[in-house]
Structures are given as C-alpha cells and as structure tokens.
C-alpha cells in the first residue's frame, strides 16, 4: 500500500515534467510527500515514516522543527531532490535555471543560519539544574523462569534477540497460562523472580539516591506486577520516596489475571509519579499502545504537567512520543521536561530515542528517555544530548547526572501543523490541476 501511494506521487510529478515544467511545479513533490507523511502520522504508526527523522545528526537543520515541526525538515529535503531534477531538465533544454536554484539556496541558507543561532543559543538563565537518575532492571530473568515453570526446560535469552525470533515467540507463549491462572504453586520460580526484580529496582533506586539524585525514573513497564501485588509495590515506592525526599517515577506493567479472549486488555501500562512527601502526584496510562502488540487500554490522551521546584514535570510513555500532534500539549502547557520511560529492542536502538528528541525541539523542553533494550538519553530544547546510556553495555543499567530542565517558547507551539495543512492544500490543488 505504501509503495502504491509513493508510486502515485511519482507518476503525478512526472506529469509536470512532461508538460511545461516550471519552477512552481517543483513544489508538488515535497508538498505531496509531506501531506502523505502527515496523514500517516495520525494513524497507528505515528511519525516512523517521516524522512525528517534521518536528519537528527544535522543539528542546524533540525532546529526548523521548532517552527514547522518535522514537516519543514522533510519538505526541504524532498524539495532538494525536486530542484535537482528541475535544474537538470532545464539545463538539457538550454533554459535558465539559476534563479530557481538561487531561491532554494537562499531559503536553505536562512534555515541554517536560524539553526546555527538557535543551536548555539544560551538559555541557561531559564534552565534548572537537577540531579537526575534513570535505571532499568532487565526482565529476561523473569521470562526465563516463566518458561521453565511452564515447559520444565531451561532457556537463555539473548538480550539482542529479534522481536520476530521464534525463540522469543515460544517464550511469550508461556505468559498465557501465567496470566490466566497465576497460581504460586505452579509458578514458584516466576514469583521468586518477580520478587527479585522488585528488590533490584529499589536497590538500584537506593544507589541513585546515594549518588545525590532528586528525581529518579524507571524504564517502561519495569515494575512488572500482578494486580494483587500492585498496592504493595506502590506503597513501597511511596514509602521510599518519602523517606528519601525524592521524586520517583515508577513505570509499571500491571497484569490482570483471567481468561484471555480476543481483544481483551489484560495489562495496565502506567507511570506513577510520587512526590517527596510520599504522595501520588499523577498516574498516567500509556495513551498510544502499540497497535496489535500491546494488550492495554489507552489512557485519557492527556499529558500532565506537575509543578515542582525542578520546574513543570510531564510524563508519558514510549510510543506516545511518536505522535507530534499528541505531544503538542507539552508546548501548550509550558512543560519544562518530559520524562518518557520506554522499552525498545536492539534493531531500533538508538533511532527511537533520537525520534523522541524532536518532541523537545518542537515544544521547547527537555526530554529524559529511560529505556530498556535501547539507548537512554537526555536532550534539551535544541535536541542537544547531555547524556547517553547504552542498555547493551556491561554493568548496571543505572546513570546519574546533573540535567538541565527548562521551557523555551517555540513557534511550533503556536502554529502547530500549519505547514502540513498548506502541503495538503497544495497537493490537492495540483492533483485537480
């Protein structure tokens, strides 16, 4: 289907080349491609198909996201290819093409000058420095125990395993009897592994506190727990936060036991923010569960903003950040930092973390992305990375650093996806023409 959509755009673009190919016709191809990206971004895949994601390592260009969102970046890249074809066409026909090339070059120069200025801007007076930590306890041990309880066989799971691996599919089947009837007598190893997981989470959290961390986040779903044990785990977290006077973001996956039927949602994918007084400040359920993969009910589509001495704190979960329209709440509510507990796998790391950094550029805030199975990262309102931590390196999955949080107003927060709407209009008019 995607190939057919691309083919249609190329065929229509060819129509312009075969007729009186004027400079204005070069706008069709980038407008149509951006329109396609925007329409797809509102579907189940978010912005995974956006060309702009490939430009993350060009920091001057990606500052354009603070004005137009991803759409301006994609437009400039697509328009370059269209301009090259147009210039070649004109040169073969011995017609003048310099004014058109100069117009594009001038626009690109303005964009890059803006990007240089913004990327090198110093907004330190607007930023709070906060001792922050992120941690992950790998859950592979639990999966191995679960598989042994069900099959009676031992297994060793490679942390870099593919999501389509037959071995992982076989291991995941062991979840079914556990979810349907999690009897401690039949799953003694699994329950022991869960207890060890929880103890390890609080053990690493204590290490972070000892290193001076005042805000600590777990990775997505790391607090794996049955519904019957949810309250005890939360109480433990509340007591820990109160005792140590910290903010603790407990990212939890709460399993609701019972017969699995088609379409049943049996997992709560949630992030619970606990304050230094031991009180629950916010409970967020993942707003955008991954289609056909996550059996969890979506949240209320709201991104919270919690005032604190460290600034306005926001939380969301992993895949939520792949939807720029949804994440515009960060700019509207003047969030200083987005905490984004996430779960990736080897083949999409570190790219998914880079994608999330664009939301900080668009909305003028920092992004703290703590990841299991990928690259944990802190980026600021410019997408400038201050910390990277690779899950696949040896050692504990814990980092502690002085992070800068703060909100910087952006044009994108005001105009939103205006460029995408213009591209939709231009593409429609060209198709009718």
């Amino acid at each position: 289907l995607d190939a057919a959509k691309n083919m249609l755009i190329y065929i229509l673009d060819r129509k312009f080349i075969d007729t009186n190919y004027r400079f204005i016709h070069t706008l069709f191809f980038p407008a149509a491609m951006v329109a396609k990206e925007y329409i797809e971004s509102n579907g189940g895949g978010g912005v995974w198909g956006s060309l702009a994601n490939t430009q993350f390592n060009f920091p001057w260009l990606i500052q354009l996201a603070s004005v137009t969102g991803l759409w301006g970046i994609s437009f400039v890249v697509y328009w370059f290819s269209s301009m090259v074809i147009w210039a070649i066409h004109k040169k073969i026909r011995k017609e003048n093409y310099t004014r058109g090339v100069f117009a594009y070059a001038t626009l690109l120069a303005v964009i890059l000058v803006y990007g240089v200025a913004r990327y090198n801007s110093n907004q330190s007076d607007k930023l709070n420095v906060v001792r922050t930590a992120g941690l992950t306890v790998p859950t592979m041990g639990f999966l191995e125990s679960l598989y042994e309880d069900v099959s009676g066989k031992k297994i060793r799971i490679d942390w870099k395993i593919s999501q389509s691996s037959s071995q992982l599919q076989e291991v995941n089947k062991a979840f079914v009897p556990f979810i349907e009837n999690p009897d401690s007598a039949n799953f003694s190893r699994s329950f022991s592994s869960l207890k060890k997981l929880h103890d390890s989470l609080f053990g690493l959290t204590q290490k972070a506190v000892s290193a001076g961390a005042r805000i600590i986040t777990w990775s997505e779903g790391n607090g794996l727990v049955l519904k019957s044990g949810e309250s005890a785990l939360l109480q433990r977290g509340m007591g820990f936060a109160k005792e140590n006077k910290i903010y603790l973001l407990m990212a939890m996956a709460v399993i609701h036991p019972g017969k699995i039927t088609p379409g049943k949602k049996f997992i709560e994918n949630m992030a619970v923010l606990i304050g230094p007084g031991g009180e629950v400040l916010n409970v967020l359920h993942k707003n955008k569960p991954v289609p056909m993969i996550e059996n969890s009910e979506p949240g209320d589509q709201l991104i919270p903003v919690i005032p604190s001495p460290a600034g306005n704190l926001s939380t969301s979960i992993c895949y939520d950040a792949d939807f720029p329209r949804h994440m515009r709440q960060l700019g509207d509510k003047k969030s200083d930092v987005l905490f984004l507990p996430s779960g990736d796998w080897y083949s999409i790391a570190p790219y998914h973390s880079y994608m999330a950094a664009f939301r900080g550029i668009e909305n003028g805030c920092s992004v703290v992305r703590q990841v299991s199975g990928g690259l944990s990262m802190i980026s600021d309102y410019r997408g400038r990375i201050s910390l990277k931590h690779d899950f696949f390196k040896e050692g504990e999955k814990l980092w502690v650093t002085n992070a800068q949080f703060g909100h910087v107003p952006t044009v994108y927060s005001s105009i939103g996806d205006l460029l995408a709407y213009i591209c939709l209009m231009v593409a429609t008019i060209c198709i009718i023409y």
Side-chain angles (χ1 to χ4, degrees), residues 131 206-213 400:
R131 192 73 170 163
Q206 184 61 62
K207 283 192 175 184
V209 170
S210 300
V400 183

Side-chain angles (χ1 to χ4, degrees), residues 76-109:
V76 168
V77 177
Y78 284 125
W79 196 15
F80 175 80
S81 63
S82 187
M83 280 297 305
V84 169
I85 297 299
W86 177 80
I88 293 173
H89 180 85
K90 290 296 182 183
K91 184 174 178 60
I92 290 173
R93 296 168 67 95
K94 302 189 184 311
E95 297 174 358
N96 186 282
Y97 59 88
T98 55
R99 283 186 298 177
V101 171
F102 179 76
Y104 176 83
T106 300
L107 176 64
L108 182 59

Side-chain angles (χ1 to χ4, degrees), residues 382-396:
R382 301 162 293 186
R384 189 190 288 266
I385 300 170
S386 59
L387 175 133
K388 289 182 178 181
H389 189 274
D390 188 353
F391 174 88
F392 297 103
K393 286 187 176 180
E394 293 293 328
E396 292 179 331

Side-chain angles (χ1 to χ4, degrees), residues 268-271 283-287 297-300 317 320:
E268 286 183 81
N269 191 342
M270 56 197 284
V283 178
L284 177 134
H285 288 81
K286 189 172 185 177
N287 285 312
E297 288 286 354
D300 58 12
I317 300 176
D320 292 353

